[in-house]
Coordinates of all heavy atoms in Angstrom, one line a residue:
S129 N 91.8 53.6 120.7 CA 92.5 52.4 120.4 C 93.6 52.2 121.4 O 93.8 53.0 122.3 CB 93.0 52.4 119.0 OG 94.0 53.3 118.8
N130 N 94.4 51.1 121.3 CA 95.5 50.9 122.2 C 96.6 52.0 122.0 O 97.4 52.2 122.9 CB 96.1 49.5 121.9 CG 95.1 48.4 122.3 OD1 94.3 48.6 123.2 ND2 95.3 47.2 121.7
S131 N 96.6 52.6 120.8 CA 97.7 53.6 120.5 C 97.2 55.0 120.5 O 98.0 55.9 120.3 CB 98.4 53.2 119.2 OG 97.4 53.2 118.1
E132 N 95.9 55.3 120.6 CA 95.4 56.7 120.5 C 94.1 56.8 121.3 O 93.2 56.0 121.3 CB 95.2 57.1 119.0 CG 94.8 58.5 118.9 CD 94.5 58.9 117.5 OE1 94.0 58.1 116.7 OE2 94.7 60.1 117.1
L133 N 94.0 58.0 121.9 CA 92.8 58.5 122.5 C 92.6 59.9 121.9 O 93.3 60.9 122.2 CB 92.9 58.6 124.0 CG 91.7 59.2 124.7 CD1 90.4 58.5 124.4 CD2 91.9 59.3 126.2
R134 N 91.5 60.1 121.1 CA 91.3 61.4 120.4 C 89.9 61.9 120.8 O 88.9 61.1 120.7 CB 91.4 61.3 118.9 CG 91.4 62.6 118.2 CD 91.3 62.5 116.7 NE 92.1 61.5 116.2 CZ 92.0 60.9 115.0 NH1 91.0 61.3 114.2 NH2 92.8 60.0 114.5
V135 N 89.9 63.1 121.3 CA 88.6 63.7 121.9 C 88.4 65.1 121.2 O 89.3 65.8 121.0 CB 88.7 63.8 123.4 CG1 87.5 64.5 124.0 CG2 88.9 62.5 124.0
S136 N 87.1 65.4 120.9 CA 86.8 66.7 120.4 C 86.0 67.5 121.4 O 85.3 66.9 122.3 CB 85.9 66.5 119.1 OG 84.6 66.0 119.5
L137 N 86.2 68.8 121.3 CA 85.5 69.7 122.2 C 84.8 70.8 121.4 O 85.5 71.5 120.7 CB 86.5 70.4 123.2 CG 86.0 71.5 124.1 CD1 84.9 71.0 125.0 CD2 87.1 72.2 124.9
T138 N 83.5 70.8 121.4 CA 82.7 71.7 120.6 C 82.5 73.0 121.4 O 82.5 73.0 122.6 CB 81.4 71.1 120.2 OG1 80.7 70.7 121.4 CG2 81.6 69.8 119.4
N139 N 82.1 74.0 120.6 CA 81.8 75.3 121.1 C 82.8 75.8 122.2 O 82.5 76.1 123.3 CB 80.4 75.3 121.8 CG 79.8 76.7 122.0 OD1 80.3 77.7 121.4 ND2 78.9 76.8 122.9
V140 N 84.0 75.9 121.7 CA 85.1 76.3 122.6 C 85.0 77.7 123.1 O 84.6 78.6 122.4 CB 86.5 76.1 121.9 CG1 87.6 76.5 122.8 CG2 86.7 74.6 121.5
S141 N 85.2 77.9 124.4 CA 85.2 79.3 125.0 C 86.6 79.6 125.6 O 87.4 78.7 125.7 CB 84.1 79.4 126.0 OG 84.4 78.5 127.1
V142 N 86.8 80.8 126.0 CA 88.0 81.2 126.6 C 88.3 80.5 127.9 O 89.5 80.2 128.2 CB 88.0 82.7 126.8 CG1 89.3 83.2 127.5 CG2 87.9 83.5 125.5
S143 N 87.3 80.1 128.6 CA 87.5 79.4 129.9 C 88.0 78.0 129.6 O 88.5 77.3 130.6 CB 86.1 79.3 130.6 OG 85.2 78.6 129.8
D144 N 88.0 77.5 128.4 CA 88.5 76.1 128.1 C 90.0 76.2 127.9 O 90.6 75.1 127.7 CB 87.8 75.5 126.9 CG 86.3 75.3 127.1 OD1 86.0 74.8 128.2 OD2 85.5 75.6 126.2
E145 N 90.6 77.3 127.8 CA 92.0 77.4 127.5 C 92.8 76.9 128.7 O 92.5 77.0 129.9 CB 92.4 78.9 127.2 CG 93.8 79.1 126.7 CD 94.1 80.5 126.3 OE1 94.4 81.3 127.2 OE2 93.9 80.8 125.1
G146 N 94.0 76.3 128.4 CA 94.8 75.8 129.4 C 95.6 74.5 129.0 O 95.6 74.2 127.8
R147 N 96.1 73.8 130.0 CA 96.8 72.5 129.8 C 95.9 71.3 130.0 O 95.2 71.2 131.0 CB 98.0 72.4 130.7 CG 99.1 73.5 130.5 CD 100.2 73.3 131.5 NE 101.3 74.3 131.2 CZ 102.4 74.4 132.0 NH1 102.5 73.5 133.0 NH2 103.3 75.3 131.7
Y148 N 96.0 70.4 129.0 CA 95.2 69.2 129.1 C 96.3 68.1 129.2 O 97.3 68.1 128.4 CB 94.3 69.0 127.9 CG 93.1 69.9 127.9 CD1 93.3 71.3 127.6 CD2 91.9 69.4 128.3 CE1 92.2 72.1 127.6 CE2 90.8 70.3 128.3 CZ 90.9 71.6 128.0 OH 89.8 72.5 128.0
F149 N 96.1 67.1 130.1 CA 97.1 66.1 130.4 C 96.7 64.8 129.8 O 95.6 64.3 129.9 CB 97.3 66.0 131.9 CG 97.7 67.3 132.5 CD1 96.7 68.1 133.0 CD2 99.0 67.6 132.7 CE1 97.1 69.3 133.6 CE2 99.4 68.8 133.3 CZ 98.4 69.7 133.8
C150 N 97.7 64.1 129.1 CA 97.6 62.8 128.7 C 98.4 61.9 129.6 O 99.6 62.1 129.9 CB 98.2 62.6 127.3 SG 97.3 63.6 126.0
Q151 N 97.7 60.8 130.1 CA 98.4 59.9 131.0 C 98.4 58.5 130.5 O 97.4 58.1 129.9 CB 97.7 59.9 132.4 CG 97.9 61.2 133.2 CD 97.3 61.1 134.6 OE1 96.5 60.2 134.9 NE2 97.7 62.0 135.5
L152 N 99.5 57.8 130.7 CA 99.7 56.4 130.2 C 100.0 55.6 131.5 O 101.0 55.9 132.2 CB 100.8 56.3 129.2 CG 101.0 54.9 128.6 CD1 99.8 54.5 127.8 CD2 102.2 55.0 127.7
Y153 N 99.1 54.6 131.7 CA 99.3 53.8 132.9 C 100.3 52.7 132.7 O 100.0 51.5 132.5 CB 98.0 53.2 133.4 CG 97.1 54.2 134.2 CD1 96.4 55.2 133.5 CD2 97.2 54.2 135.6 CE1 95.6 56.1 134.3 CE2 96.5 55.2 136.3 CZ 95.7 56.1 135.6 OH 95.0 57.0 136.4
T154 N 101.6 53.1 132.7 CA 102.7 52.2 132.7 C 103.3 52.2 134.0 O 102.8 52.9 134.9 CB 103.7 52.6 131.6 OG1 104.2 53.9 131.9 CG2 103.1 52.5 130.2
D155 N 104.3 51.5 134.2 CA 105.0 51.5 135.5 C 106.5 51.8 135.2 O 107.2 51.0 134.7 CB 104.9 50.2 136.2 CG 105.3 50.4 137.7 OD1 105.7 51.5 138.1 OD2 105.1 49.4 138.5
P156 N 107.0 53.0 135.4 CA 106.3 54.1 136.1 C 105.3 54.8 135.1 O 105.4 54.7 133.9 CB 107.4 55.1 136.4 CG 108.4 54.9 135.3 CD 108.4 53.4 135.0
P157 N 104.3 55.5 135.6 CA 103.3 56.1 134.7 C 103.9 57.3 133.9 O 104.9 57.9 134.4 CB 102.2 56.6 135.7 CG 102.9 56.8 137.0 CD 104.0 55.7 137.0
Q158 N 103.4 57.5 132.8 CA 103.9 58.7 132.0 C 102.8 59.7 131.8 O 101.6 59.4 131.8 CB 104.3 58.2 130.6 CG 105.4 57.1 130.6 CD 105.8 56.8 129.2 OE1 105.9 57.6 128.3 NE2 106.1 55.5 129.0
E159 N 103.2 60.9 131.7 CA 102.2 62.0 131.5 C 102.9 63.2 130.8 O 104.0 63.6 131.0 CB 101.8 62.5 132.9 CG 100.7 63.6 132.8 CD 100.3 64.1 134.2 OE1 99.4 63.4 134.8 OE2 100.8 65.1 134.6
I160 N 102.2 63.7 129.8 CA 102.6 64.9 129.1 C 101.3 65.8 128.9 O 100.2 65.3 129.2 CB 103.2 64.6 127.7 CG1 102.1 63.9 126.8 CG2 104.4 63.8 127.8 CD1 102.6 63.7 125.4
Y161 N 101.6 67.0 128.6 CA 100.4 67.9 128.5 C 100.4 68.6 127.1 O 101.5 68.8 126.5 CB 100.4 69.0 129.6 CG 101.5 70.0 129.5 CD1 101.3 71.1 128.8 CD2 102.6 69.8 130.3 CE1 102.3 72.1 128.7 CE2 103.6 70.8 130.3 CZ 103.5 71.9 129.5 OH 104.5 72.9 129.5
T162 N 99.3 69.0 126.7 CA 99.1 69.8 125.5 C 98.4 71.1 125.9 O 97.5 71.1 126.8 CB 98.3 69.1 124.4 OG1 98.0 70.0 123.3 CG2 96.9 68.7 125.0
T163 N 98.8 72.2 125.3 CA 98.3 73.5 125.6 C 97.2 73.9 124.6 O 97.5 73.9 123.4 CB 99.4 74.6 125.7 OG1 100.3 74.2 126.7 CG2 98.8 75.9 126.0
M164 N 96.1 74.2 125.0 CA 95.0 74.7 124.2 C 95.0 76.3 124.2 O 94.8 76.8 125.3 CB 93.6 74.2 124.5 CG 92.5 74.7 123.6 SD 90.9 74.1 124.1 CE 91.1 72.3 123.8
T165 N 95.1 76.9 123.1 CA 95.0 78.4 123.0 C 93.8 78.7 122.2 O 93.5 78.2 121.1 CB 96.3 78.9 122.2 OG1 97.5 78.5 122.9 CG2 96.2 80.4 122.2
V166 N 93.0 79.6 122.8 CA 91.7 80.0 122.2 C 91.9 81.5 121.7 O 92.3 82.4 122.4 CB 90.6 80.0 123.3 CG1 89.3 80.5 122.6 CG2 90.4 78.6 123.9
L167 N 91.6 81.6 120.4 CA 91.7 82.9 119.7 C 90.3 83.5 119.7 O 89.3 82.9 119.4 CB 92.2 82.8 118.3 CG 93.6 82.1 118.1 CD1 93.9 81.9 116.7 CD2 94.7 82.8 118.9
V168 N 90.3 84.8 119.9 CA 89.0 85.6 119.9 C 89.1 86.7 118.8 O 89.9 87.6 119.0 CB 88.6 86.1 121.2 CG1 87.3 86.9 121.2 CG2 88.6 85.0 122.3
P169 N 88.4 86.7 117.7 CA 88.4 87.8 116.8 C 87.8 89.0 117.3 O 87.0 89.0 118.2 CB 87.7 87.2 115.6 CG 86.7 86.2 116.1 CD 87.4 85.6 117.3
P170 N 88.1 90.2 116.7 CA 87.5 91.4 117.2 C 86.0 91.3 117.0 O 85.4 90.9 116.0 CB 88.1 92.5 116.2 CG 89.3 91.9 115.7 CD 89.1 90.4 115.7
R171 N 85.3 91.7 118.0 CA 83.8 91.7 118.0 C 83.2 92.8 117.3 O 82.1 92.7 116.7 CB 83.3 91.6 119.5 CG 83.8 90.5 120.3 CD 83.1 90.4 121.6 NE 83.7 89.4 122.5 CZ 83.5 88.1 122.4 NH1 82.6 87.6 121.5 NH2 84.0 87.2 123.2
N172 N 83.9 93.9 117.2 CA 83.3 95.1 116.5 C 84.5 95.9 115.9 O 85.5 96.0 116.5 CB 82.5 95.9 117.4 CG 81.5 96.8 116.7 OD1 81.4 96.7 115.5 ND2 80.9 97.7 117.4
L173 N 84.3 96.4 114.7 CA 85.3 97.2 114.0 C 84.6 98.5 113.5 O 83.7 98.4 112.7 CB 85.9 96.4 112.8 CG 87.1 97.1 112.1 CD1 88.3 97.2 113.1 CD2 87.5 96.2 110.9
V174 N 85.0 99.6 114.0 CA 84.4 100.9 113.8 C 85.4 101.9 113.4 O 86.4 102.0 114.0 CB 83.6 101.3 115.0 CG1 82.9 102.7 114.8 CG2 82.6 100.3 115.5
I175 N 85.0 102.8 112.4 CA 85.8 103.9 112.0 C 85.1 105.2 112.5 O 83.9 105.4 112.2 CB 86.1 104.0 110.5 CG1 87.0 102.9 110.1 CG2 86.7 105.4 110.2 CD1 87.3 103.0 108.6
D176 N 85.7 106.0 113.3 CA 85.2 107.2 113.7 C 86.0 108.4 113.1 O 87.2 108.4 113.2 CB 85.3 107.3 115.3 CG 84.7 108.6 115.8 OD1 83.8 109.2 115.1 OD2 85.2 109.1 116.8
I177 N 85.3 109.2 112.3 CA 85.9 110.3 111.6 C 85.6 111.7 112.3 O 84.5 111.9 112.8 CB 85.5 110.4 110.1 CG1 86.3 111.4 109.3 CG2 84.0 110.7 110.0 CD1 86.2 111.2 107.8
Q178 N 86.6 112.5 112.4 CA 86.5 113.7 113.2 C 85.4 114.7 112.6 O 84.6 115.2 113.3 CB 87.8 114.4 113.2 CG 87.8 115.7 114.1 CD 89.2 116.4 114.0 OE1 90.0 116.1 113.1 NE2 89.5 117.3 114.9
K179 N 85.4 114.8 111.2 CA 84.5 115.6 110.5 C 83.9 114.9 109.3 O 84.7 114.3 108.6 CB 85.1 116.9 110.1 CG 85.6 117.8 111.2 CD 86.3 119.1 110.6 CE 85.3 120.0 109.9 NZ 85.9 121.2 109.5
D180 N 82.6 114.8 109.2 CA 82.0 114.1 108.1 C 82.3 114.8 106.8 O 82.4 114.2 105.8 CB 80.5 114.0 108.3 CG 80.1 113.1 109.5 OD1 80.9 112.2 109.8 OD2 79.0 113.3 110.1
I181 N 82.4 116.1 106.8 CA 82.7 116.9 105.6 C 83.9 117.7 105.9 O 84.0 118.5 106.8 CB 81.5 117.8 105.2 CG1 80.2 117.0 104.9 CG2 81.9 118.6 104.0 CD1 79.0 117.8 104.6
A182 N 84.9 117.5 105.1 CA 86.2 118.2 105.2 C 86.4 119.2 104.1 O 85.9 119.0 103.0 CB 87.4 117.2 105.3
T183 N 87.2 120.3 104.4 CA 87.5 121.3 103.4 C 88.9 121.0 102.8 O 89.8 120.5 103.5 CB 87.5 122.7 104.1 OG1 86.2 122.9 104.7 CG2 87.8 123.8 103.0
E184 N 89.1 121.3 101.6 CA 90.3 121.0 100.9 C 91.5 121.7 101.6 O 91.4 122.9 102.1 CB 90.3 121.6 99.5 CG 91.5 121.4 98.7 CD 91.5 122.0 97.3 OE1 90.6 122.9 97.1 OE2 92.3 121.7 96.4
G185 N 92.6 120.9 101.9 CA 93.7 121.4 102.6 C 93.7 121.2 104.1 O 94.6 121.5 104.8
E186 N 92.5 120.7 104.6 CA 92.4 120.6 106.0 C 92.9 119.2 106.5 O 92.8 118.2 105.7 CB 90.9 120.7 106.3 CG 90.6 120.7 107.8 CD 89.1 120.8 108.1 OE1 88.3 120.8 107.1 OE2 88.7 121.0 109.2
E187 N 93.4 119.2 107.7 CA 93.9 117.9 108.3 C 92.7 117.3 109.2 O 92.2 118.0 110.1 CB 95.1 118.1 109.1 CG 95.7 116.8 109.7 CD 96.9 117.0 110.5 OE1 96.8 117.6 111.6 OE2 98.0 116.6 110.1

Side-chain angles (χ1 to χ4, degrees):
S129 66
N130 293 333
S131 59
E132 183 184 31
L133 173 61
R134 191 189 314 164
V135 177
S136 66
L137 173 60
T138 58
N139 194 21
V140 176
S141 65
V142 176
S143 60
D144 295 320
E145 189 173 85
R147 293 179 179 179
Y148 289 77
F149 301 91
C150 297
Q151 288 185 346
L152 182 63
Y153 278 83
T154 57
D155 197 355
Q158 299 184 40
E159 182 178 280
I160 60 174
Y161 69 84
T162 176
T163 301
M164 180 184 294
T165 302
V166 180
L167 304 177
V168 181
R171 301 186 186 280
N172 199 8
L173 189 62
V174 179
I175 291 182
D176 179 31
I177 190 168
Q178 183 183 19
K179 297 179 67 176
D180 292 333
I181 300 177
T183 304
E184 180 182 19
E186 184 179 9
E187 184 181 67

